[in-house]
Amino acid sequence: VYPPENRALADEIEASGALLSQFLPGTQPAPWNFPERNRTIAGLALGVVVVEAAERSGALITAGAAADLGREVFAVPGRVTSETARGAHGLLRDGATLVRSWMDIVQEMSGIADPKRTVAFYRQAVPIERLVMTYLETEAMNHPFLEAEAVLIVDPTNQAF
């Protein structure tokens, strides 16, 4: 598991779901493995949200793979002077869907246009989904969950997205 501090999270996921990897157990992290891993993430997702990304980053590799696979690509704009916003800005220039709030993602992915349905969706969201929505809404992008190169996996089994 990489980074090592994610071991507890990996154990929790494994205990209640499925922990997927295309690598054999015990495979050590190596730079050439990350693009392959990112492509797997893109393949499992309905869409990806790039919150922050430098011009060369894993998040952009994942977004490119998602686009190649016909998945939705979303980007949250940042300050024009920020190095970590350049990747998201490039995606927006190239046609990614602009994310101004979590409602943009919900509406794009599910066709929800009625504000009453959107509020109902929020009320039914599980805590992790609410966390993402809150941070997308309040622009508090420095939360550890939304660190640089963050990619949100939109789980196809999750009706919320």
Side-chain angles (χ1 to χ4, degrees):
V1 173
Y2 184 82
E5 56 267 19
N6 286 345
R7 170 46 52 196
L9 176 61
D11 291 342
E12 184 180 332
I13 292 169
E14 190 173 21
S16 63
L19 188 62
L20 300 174
S21 175
Q22 67 272 43
F23 303 108
L24 294 173
T27 299
Q28 294 300 307
W32 51 86
N33 289 343
F34 293 112
E36 188 175 341
R37 179 209 55 191
N38 293 0
R39 186 164 185 78
T40 300
I41 291 169
L44 292 171
L46 292 175
V48 296
V49 179
V50 177
V51 177
E52 288 187 334
E55 286 184 291
R56 291 178 45 120
S57 69
L60 295 185
I61 292 170
T62 308
D68 291 346
L69 295 168
R71 306 304 196 256
E72 296 290 335
V73 177
F74 300 91
V76 178
R79 292 192 170 98
V80 295
T81 56
S82 172
E83 291 292 320
T84 59
R86 289 185 178 207
H89 293 164
L91 291 172
L92 290 166
R93 180 195 60 225
D94 295 341
T97 300
L98 171 69
V99 175
R100 297 168 297 173
S101 79
W102 62 270
M103 290 185 287
D104 293 332
I105 300 167
V106 172
Q107 289 174 352
E108 186 71 25
M109 295 302 292
S110 64
I112 296 174
D114 180 1
K116 290 179 186 173
R117 288 184 61 204
T118 303
V119 170
F121 167 83
Y122 180 78
R123 288 184 181 146
Q124 293 172 359
V126 295
I128 193 67
E129 293 164 343
R130 285 189 181 176
L131 175 68
V132 172
M133 292 176 204
T134 300
Y135 284 98
L136 287 173
E137 187 69 27
T138 62
E139 299 181 30
M141 297 301 173
N142 60 349
H143 187 277
F145 186 77
L146 299 173
E147 288 180 343
E149 299 188 14
V151 175
L152 170 66
I153 300 174
V154 183
D155 178 356
T157 64
N158 184 342
Q159 291 186 359
F161 286 98

